[in-house]
Amino acid sequence: GVEIVASKNAGLGLYSTQNLSANDIVIQVPTKLTLSVESPTDYNTAMETKLFSSNPKAYRNSPWWAALSIQLNYYDKVDSINQRSGGVNMKPWIDSLPRSYDTPLHWSESSLQELQYRPMMEAVALQKRVWRKRYDDLVAASNEFASHISYDDFVWGCETARSRAFSGAYSGSAFNPVPYAT
């Protein structure tokens, strides 16, 4: 009852070919085809062995966006055949992702200054510091990580994760409207 359709006016999306009721499941993705920060231990065993054999806690204690960046880079640079259940080949999906982003993180200092909006400039500077510190901490924790994933690769993974990740019943935390309602 759902098709993937490309439209000149609306872009690529899901379109219903039948009436949908409230609470109908529109699309369901098998767990073996998802990347998740709350996966069972065996999900990340191959990655941890390859990138963090000397310090697996460095990965496990990473914020969700860093953990997803590590997973994306692992499947992109180290092992595109997922060793979880069924040996799913992640390469076609990884290859479909954008390879670069034009977010404010990549803007020149002069371009940021032209905004004349200090909160944006401060947010970009903070983002750069946080991501650099997390990368440096991972490098310090694991030589294997440093030999496979560059800082630019890590940033690509962070931007990819943050632009495509969502939470729901299965992982992360759902949107909490309380702070916005009060």
Side-chain angles (χ1 to χ4, degrees):
V2 176
E3 294 177 1
I4 298 174
V5 177
S7 165
K8 283 185 175 182
N9 298 333
L12 184 65
L14 292 178
Y15 292 86
S16 173
T17 58
Q18 65 185 33
N19 290 332
L20 298 173
S21 301
N23 299 320
D24 279 355
I25 294 175
V26 177
I27 188 169
Q28 190 170 22
V29 179
T31 301
K32 71 180 186 176
L33 297 177
T34 64
L35 297 183
S36 173
V37 295
E38 293 187 6
S39 303
T41 306
D42 65 339
Y43 177 88
N44 294 317
T45 301
M47 181 186 59
E48 286 180 355
T49 301
K50 193 78 149 177
L51 298 179
F52 296 98
S53 61
S54 59
N55 190 354
K57 286 185 179 183
Y59 167 77
R60 293 181 197 147
N61 294 335
S62 290
W64 70 267
W65 46 266
L68 284 178
S69 174
I70 293 164
Q71 288 181 38
L72 286 164
N73 278 288
Y74 175 75
Y75 295 122
D76 185 39
K77 308 236 174 293
V78 182
D79 185 6
S80 63
I81 304 298
N82 181 340
Q83 298 305 313
R84 292 178 288 178
S85 55
V88 175
N89 184 350
M90 300 295 283
K91 186 154 181 47
W93 178 73
I94 293 285
D95 288 347
S96 76
L97 296 171
R99 299 319 284 185
S100 64
Y101 296 92
D102 187 23
T103 62
L105 189 77
H106 303 286
W107 295 0
S108 68
E109 192 61 37
S110 63
S111 293
L112 286 170
Q113 293 288 335
E114 286 179 24
L115 290 175
Q116 298 180 12
Y117 189 61
R118 179 141 313 277
M120 174 64 98
M121 293 184 294
E122 291 170 356
V124 169
L126 176 62
Q127 185 79 80
K128 286 179 179 181
R129 285 193 308 272
V130 167
W131 285 2
R132 172 51 81 173
K133 173 146 180 30
R134 175 53 54 182
Y135 178 79
D136 291 345
D137 289 349
L138 290 166
V139 166
S142 170
N143 291 331
E144 300 98 344
F145 174 79
S147 69
H148 289 291
I149 300 174
S150 71
Y151 177 68
D152 288 340
D153 294 335
F154 180 73
V155 168
W156 167 80
C158 291
E159 288 184 297
T160 301
R162 294 194 70 112
S163 66
R164 283 154 177 76
F166 57 92
S167 62
Y170 298 108
S171 78
S173 59
F175 174 73
N176 181 2
V178 173
Y180 301 97
T182 55

